[in-house]
C-alpha cells in the first residue's frame, strides 16, 4: 500500500530535464518520487498561469514539491494554488529580494531582452546561463541535461525570473543553497540550509548530500 507514503514531485531548473535528478534516491518504504518536465508556454502566458497548468500534472494530495533554480520559483507559485505538505527549493530564491543585483538591474533596464538567446543550440553558452558554470569538460553531460532548447521558452523563462515579484517567502518553504552558487549567490539569501562548496548544479554533483539529508528535511 502506498497510501501512507509521501509523494515527492521534482521540478528541474531552466532548460533542464528530469535527468538532473538521476542521482536522487529516497527510501522507497517512505517516499514515492515523480518528475515534472517543462513545456513551452503559450504566447503571453504568466508564471501564475504556467503554474496552474503544471498543477494539473500533480496526481496526489498534499505532495512535497521540490524545485531547482527557476523550478524552485515555479513550485512556490504552484503551492499558492494547491495544498502541499512542504516546498523545498534548491539553488533558488524565495523572494524578489534575494535576486542578485544584476537581475534587478536587468528588470529595470530590460537588458535581459538583449541576451543572445539564439544560444539555445549552443550548449556551452546555454549552460553558462542555466547553470552559471563553464562546462567545456563535460559538455556531453550538459547536452543530456539541457534539452529544453525552444527560444521562446528561454526568453520567457529569463523574463519571468528577473520580473518575479514575490515579496516574502511562504511559511512552508525550506531553502537549500550552495555556498558557491554563481547564479543566485548565497550572500543575498536569508534563512537557508547551506551546502558546503555546493554550486548551482549541486543537485547533480552532490546527490549523495541530498540522499543523506532530504528524508529528514521532508519529515521535519
Amino acid at each position: 500500500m502506498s497510501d501512507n507514503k509521501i509523494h515527492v514531485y521534482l521540478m528541474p531548473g531552466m532548460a533542464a530535464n528530469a535527468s538532473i535528478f538521476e542521482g536522487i534516491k529516497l527510501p522507497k518504504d517512505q517516499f514515492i518520487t515523480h518528475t515534472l518536465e517543462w513545456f513551452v508556454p503559450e504566447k503571453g502566458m504568466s508564471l501564475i498561469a504556467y503554474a496552474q497548468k503544471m498543477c494539473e500534472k500533480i496526481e496526489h494530495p498534499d505532495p512535497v514539491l521540490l524545485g531547482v533554480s527557476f523550478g524552485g520559483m515555479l513550485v512556490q507559485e504552484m503551492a499558492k494554488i494547491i495544498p502541499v505538505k512542504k516546498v523545498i527549493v534548491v539553488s533558488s530564491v524565495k523572494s524578489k529580494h534575494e535576486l542578485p543585483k544584476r537581475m534587478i538591474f536587468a528588470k529595470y533596464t530590460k537588458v535581459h531582452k538583449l541576451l543572445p538567446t539564439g544560444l539555445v543550440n549552443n550548449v556551452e553558452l546555454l549552460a553558462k546561463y542555466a547553470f552559471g558554470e563553464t562546462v567545456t569538460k563535460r559538455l556531453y553531460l550538459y547536452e543530456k541535461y539541457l534539452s529544453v532548447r525552444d527560444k521562446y521558452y528561454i526568453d520567457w523563462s529569463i523574463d519571468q525570473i528577473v520580473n518575479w515579484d514575490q515579496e516574502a517567502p511562504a511559511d512552508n518553504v525550506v531553502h537549500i543553497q550552495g555556498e558557491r552558487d554563481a547564479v543566485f549567490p548565497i550572500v543575498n539569501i536569508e534563512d537557508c540550509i547551506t551546502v558546503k562548496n555546493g554550486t548551482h548544479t549541486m543537485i547533480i554533483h552532490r546527490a549523495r548530500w541530498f540522499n543523506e539529508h532530504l528524508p529528514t528535511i521532508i519529515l521535519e
Side-chain angles (χ1 to χ4, degrees), residues 55-109:
C55 283
E56 293 171 14
K57 301 177 190 297
I58 305 293
E59 297 175 350
H60 304 90
D62 294 317
V64 171
L65 302 180
L66 182 150
V68 175
S69 192
F70 180 37
M73 296 179 180
L74 178 63
V75 296
Q76 290 175 75
E77 294 297 333
M78 291 167 68
K80 296 171 186 175
I81 299 164
I82 57 167
V84 299
K85 180 180 175 67
K86 188 169 281 189
V87 174
I88 300 169
V89 301
V90 176
S91 307
S92 190
V93 293
K94 302 183 295 301
S95 78
K96 64 181 184 181
H97 305 292
E98 294 184 339
L99 290 168
K101 285 190 174 68
R102 63 191 164 79
M103 290 188 188
I104 295 163
F105 175 77
K107 176 181 179 176
Y108 292 108
T109 61

Side-chain angles (χ1 to χ4, degrees), residues 122-207:
N122 181 331
V123 178
E124 216 174 311
L125 268 174
L126 184 57
K128 188 80 178 149
Y129 278 93
F131 291 156
E133 294 174 16
T134 305
V135 296
T136 44
K137 277 184 189 168
R138 284 182 280 191
L139 210 52
Y140 68 96
L141 275 181
Y142 292 88
E143 287 267 4
K144 181 179 83 167
Y145 297 136
L146 295 167
S147 64
V148 191
R149 307 268 178 90
D150 183 271
K151 184 181 182 323
Y152 181 77
Y153 161 81
I154 301 286
D155 287 340
W156 176 85
S157 298
I158 293 168
D159 204 46
Q160 299 306 318
I161 292 166
V162 302
N163 288 294
W164 197 43
D165 62 356
Q166 178 152 292
E167 195 61 49
D171 294 335
N172 63 346
V173 176
V174 177
H175 191 166
I176 305 171
Q177 196 73 3
E179 257 183 355
R180 294 170 50 218
D181 194 305
V183 176
F184 299 117
I186 199 163
V187 67
N188 302 311
I189 308 294
E190 292 181 5
D191 192 22
C192 69
I193 296 166
T194 304
V195 179
K196 191 172 172 55
N197 292 322
T199 66
H200 198 64
T201 52
M202 63 184 182
I203 196 74
I204 300 167
H205 303 306
R206 300 292 297 280

